[in-house]
Amino acid sequence: MTAVTEHHAESGHHEAPEAISRRDRMGVLLLIFADAAFVGALVFTWFYLRTLNQGGNWIPKDVEVAASSQSWIVTGVAGVSAALMYLGLVAVRKGKVKQLLTFALLALVVIIADLYLQIQALDSFPFTIKNGSYASTMFALAGANIFHLGLTIFLGIGIVNRIRMGRYSQDDHGHVREVTYWWIWVAVASLITSFATMYTY
């Protein structure tokens, strides 16, 4: 008895591209949902500790706060990068794979620059992690954003490499779409934390 497996040569998989795309999309959406819960917990911690402020431990008298402009610059650059990646997705949907490569490369360069800006912002904090609840929460939020940006860079390198190898087309670009979802979420998460940290006092 011989089992016959349908092979989709054009996609390089034994399953239909539509089935693979649905599964990948669900996986990325679940990842974003889980990460949103993590970001939500960090923001809740920020407001909880700020409101609780037992004995002036939120911001001790001798502690200087970080400039809010640093956070907004990082958020703005993340938004530009996400917009570039989205333009790449729009391009490949129209069959313009060369434009996809251009936009993906630009998005990758911008997000790498954003990681540098975030590390610089963290390094320039005028406090240490032990200087009260505000300081420790700021380090936690900055660390979470560094993780987000680092993972996005890793995914971006993979996507750019696969574009160069000719893996995507107008009819088969599921990975580009899923990575773009994540890219946009990272910008939104940065926006959420920037808004939260405006309420320092």
Side-chain angles (χ1 to χ4, degrees):
M1 184 175 180
T2 304
V4 178
T5 303
E6 182 179 0
H7 179 71
H8 294 265
E10 67 278 3
S11 64
H13 297 286
H14 291 279
E15 297 179 87
E18 295 80 8
I20 296 169
S21 181
R22 282 195 300 271
R23 187 171 61 245
D24 289 348
R25 182 164 57 249
M26 178 60 68
V28 170
L29 291 176
L30 288 174
L31 171 63
I32 291 173
F33 179 79
D35 193 66
F38 170 66
V39 172
L42 288 176
V43 171
F44 172 81
T45 300
W46 172 273
F47 285 107
Y48 176 77
L49 293 174
R50 171 180 169 272
T51 304
L52 187 64
N53 194 25
Q54 292 287 352
N57 288 326
W58 173 241
I59 304 177
K61 293 181 179 179
D62 58 341
V63 174
E64 181 182 352
V65 301
S68 61
S69 59
Q70 293 177 323
S71 176
W72 283 108
I73 290 171
V74 170
T75 295
V77 175
V80 170
S81 182
L84 288 168
M85 196 63 201
Y86 179 76
L87 289 173
L89 176 60
V90 171
V92 75
R93 283 174 173 170
K94 296 178 180 178
K96 300 176 181 179
V97 180
K98 288 185 179 180
Q99 286 189 18
L100 167 63
L101 179 58
T102 300
F103 283 122
L105 275 170
L106 288 172
L108 179 59
V109 169
V110 173
I111 207 71
I112 290 171
D114 203 32
L115 176 61
Y116 173 78
L117 291 172
Q118 179 62 84
I119 293 172
Q120 287 290 99
L122 187 150
D123 190 54
S124 67
F125 282 165
F127 45 76
T128 68
I129 197 169
K130 297 180 180 180
N131 291 143
S133 302
Y134 161 80
S136 60
T137 310
M138 281 292 288
F139 272 97
L141 290 169
N145 202 39
I146 287 172
F147 168 76
H148 283 153
L149 296 172
L151 180 54
T152 306
I153 289 169
F154 174 77
L155 294 173
I157 292 171
I159 282 292
V160 167
N161 188 49
R162 290 175 68 86
I163 296 169
R164 290 177 59 251
M165 295 170 65
R167 297 292 183 87
Y168 303 118
S169 66
Q170 185 175 11
D171 298 322
D172 186 6
H173 57 268
H175 290 162
V176 178
R177 182 184 58 240
E178 272 78 69
V179 169
T180 301
Y181 287 165
W182 170 260
W183 219 292
I184 293 170
W185 160 244
V186 168
V188 171
S190 183
L191 181 65
I192 290 169
T193 56
S194 289
F195 270 119
T197 53
M198 286 177 62
Y199 299 94
T200 302
Y201 297 101

